[in-house]
Amino acid sequence: MPSQAPLLLRHHRPFLAFWLARVFTASGFQMLTVAIGWNLYQLTGNVLDLGLVGLVEFAPRVLFMLHTGHVADRYDRRKVAAICQSLQALIALSLAIGSATDHVTREMIFILAFLLGAARSFEMPTTQALLPSIVPSTLFPRAVAAAQSAQQSATIVAPALGGLLYAFGSVWVYGPTVILYIIACGLMLNLPARQTPLNKGKATMDSLLAGIRFIRSRPDILGAISLDLFAVLLGGATALLPVFAKDILLTGPWGLGLLRSAPAVGALLMSLYLARFAVERKVGRVMFTAVGIFGVATIAFGLSTSFWFSLAVLVVLGAADMISMVIRASFVQLETPDEMRGRVSAVNGLFIGASNQLGEFESGLTAHWFGTVPAVVMGGIGTLVVTGTWIKLFPTLANRDRMSELVEEAKV
């Protein structure tokens, strides 16, 4: 049976459509991110604006967090995802038209970044909750791994492609992105209808807060996702990559694309390794060690003046982050019933978004205050401090030996 599972999954047409949709939407977003960052830095030359874009994109996750999960649990998830992808296509189209007519402004980018964040805040929990209804339960673990590989593969290729296309003009990035989102929308609408009954309950405060209560009731889960939140929030330097590419590493848009792709290369390689050699012992120690390596890699990147060394360090950074992601995802996926999977995914998405988009704002703000290199180095040191603090705050998580023990404790 195990040897037949990959073949069955590969020929499972609904999952193939879902996988391709993930590739196209992830590629579109990565290309948009590269183009928007470089475009904005060309317009203003202000590192703080790069951080503000991250904050503006993150804001909808906070504003709509309680409602995104409820929408994913109550309405047809295929249609919700398709609407979100259509909105992102319109955003890319607006930027393409603005670039072609030379009317892209700082204010326009901020407005569209907010709309992009709003669309993604509804899309993320919806697509995460959609996957279990597409494949049989026996294939679900492999489907999760395959879906993650689609995300990482797109994150590797798309930023480099976006940087290369930007060399010919920003419209050459925004135009193809529109097509990617339209294709993803069509694939999503062709998925089979949801088999489990929809949640017809009204959006009461008790229902909206169910995901938060679920996570709070499990201290080890809370510790794992909050560790990722604060560690990546402080250590993330993604928003400052345009500054490093242009002013420190002395490269162009193609170099920026490679820098953005490097963490995904490490993440993909680590995900493949973990799929073959799973972490079975000393789970807590492995997770905290990985976060510590993430902090050290951040410091090394901040101090580097070599383009190729910076790429290598970012690969290590992405690999370390993947270990934490795998452990966190194991908690959430194993312990969430389908009827509230959207709400729990929405809360988890807030933590992920905070560690990325809000981390970009933190990086931009500290770079504005102290300088680009000091900001990244201080962020890496902050990650190490958080790691040590969380070991003290969540000792049972830090001392866990087996992943199965985490699952068993959550069921008590």
Side-chain angles (χ1 to χ4, degrees):
M1 179 66 70
S3 62
Q4 295 176 355
L7 181 63
L8 293 173
L9 184 60
R10 189 184 311 129
H11 288 82
H12 197 275
R13 296 184 65 180
F15 174 76
L16 180 60
F18 177 87
W19 189 88
L20 289 173
R22 285 288 299 271
V23 170
F24 292 140
T25 54
S27 299
F29 175 71
Q30 292 296 330
M31 291 172 66
L32 272 182
T33 301
V34 170
I36 288 175
W38 195 270
N39 204 343
L40 182 62
Y41 193 57
Q42 280 186 324
L43 285 173
T44 69
N46 190 344
V47 296
L48 181 59
D49 283 341
L50 297 176
L52 288 174
V53 167
L55 180 62
V56 168
E57 188 179 328
F58 172 72
R61 292 184 184 272
V62 178
L63 295 175
F64 307 131
M65 180 194 71
L66 296 176
H67 294 86
T68 55
H70 188 81
V71 168
D73 287 336
R74 183 172 185 181
Y75 299 100
D76 189 330
R77 290 168 180 164
R78 302 170 305 162
K79 295 180 180 178
V80 173
I83 290 173
C84 295
Q85 291 155 3
S86 299
L87 177 58
Q88 292 172 81
L90 290 175
I91 292 169
L93 179 62
S94 300
L95 288 167
I97 295 174
S99 297
T101 59
D102 198 24
H103 282 87
V104 175
T105 64
R106 175 179 180 270
E107 291 72 22
M108 175 184 179
I109 289 178
F110 282 136
I111 292 173
L112 293 179
F114 179 85
L115 294 176
L116 180 64
R120 285 178 57 80
S121 67
F122 280 89
E123 181 189 20
M124 180 179 291
T126 301
T127 53
Q128 288 179 350
L130 183 62
L131 181 57
S133 63
I134 294 177
V135 297
S137 58
T138 54
L139 294 180
F140 181 65
R142 293 184 179 272
V144 172
Q148 185 62 33
S149 70
Q151 179 78 25
Q152 296 301 329
S153 298
T155 306
I156 293 170
V157 177
L161 177 61
L164 179 63
L165 292 175
Y166 197 97
F168 299 96
S170 57
V171 68
W172 287 92
V173 183
Y174 297 133
T177 302
V178 177
I179 299 175
L180 291 176
Y181 279 120
I182 291 176
I183 295 175
C185 179
L187 290 169
M188 196 63 64
L189 290 175
N190 282 320
L191 293 177
R194 185 177 180 181
Q195 299 300 318
T196 56
L198 295 172
N199 178 11
K200 296 297 185 179
K202 295 182 178 180
T204 63
M205 185 57 63
D206 182 70
S207 173
L208 295 175
L209 294 175
I212 297 177
R213 291 198 305 270
F214 181 86
I215 292 176
R216 287 186 59 187
S217 67
R218 291 158 172 80
D220 283 350
I221 297 179
L222 177 62
I225 64 176
S226 60
L227 171 66
D228 180 82
L229 164 66
F230 290 104
V232 178
L233 187 152
L234 294 173
T238 304
L240 302 178
L241 288 182
V243 184
F244 275 92
K246 184 177 181 180
D247 299 337
I248 298 176
L249 302 177
L250 304 179
T251 184
W254 69 273
L256 173 62
L258 290 177
L259 289 171
R260 290 194 65 93
S261 299
V265 172
L268 178 61
L269 293 175
M270 180 55 68
S271 66
L272 294 175
Y273 175 84
L274 292 176
R276 184 173 177 82
F277 304 102
V279 179
E280 297 180 350
R281 302 297 301 270
K282 301 179 180 179
V283 172
R285 182 180 300 179
V286 170
M287 183 181 69
F288 280 100
T289 300
V291 177
I293 293 174
F294 180 91
V296 173
T298 300
I299 296 172
F301 174 77
L303 296 175
S304 172
T305 57
S306 166
F307 176 74
W308 297 109
F309 179 75
S310 296
L311 280 179
V313 169
L314 289 175
V315 170
V316 174
L317 183 149
D321 188 43
M322 176 55 64
I323 297 174
S324 175
M325 290 174 58
V326 167
I327 294 176
R328 184 180 67 250
S330 297
F331 288 121
V332 176
Q333 294 174 2
L334 289 172
E335 294 300 314
T336 306
D338 182 70
E339 62 271 14
M340 63 178 298
R341 186 173 282 119
R343 283 164 286 179
V344 172
S345 297
V347 177
N348 190 40
L350 177 65
F351 279 85
I352 296 173
S355 63
N356 292 310
Q357 276 77 42
L358 195 57
E360 292 181 4
F361 172 71
E362 179 272 336
S363 297
L365 185 62
T366 53
H368 179 72
W369 285 345
F370 307 110
T372 302
V373 172
V376 174
V377 172
M378 287 189 297
I381 294 173
T383 297
L384 297 178
V385 172
V386 167
T387 303
T389 303
W390 255 240
I391 291 176
K392 298 294 185 181
L393 292 178
F394 300 94
T396 59
L397 177 62
N399 294 322
R400 287 295 173 187
D401 184 43
R402 294 182 179 273
M403 183 68 72
S404 60
E405 293 175 354
L406 292 171
V407 176
E408 290 303 320
E409 180 180 274
K411 291 179 179 179
V412 175

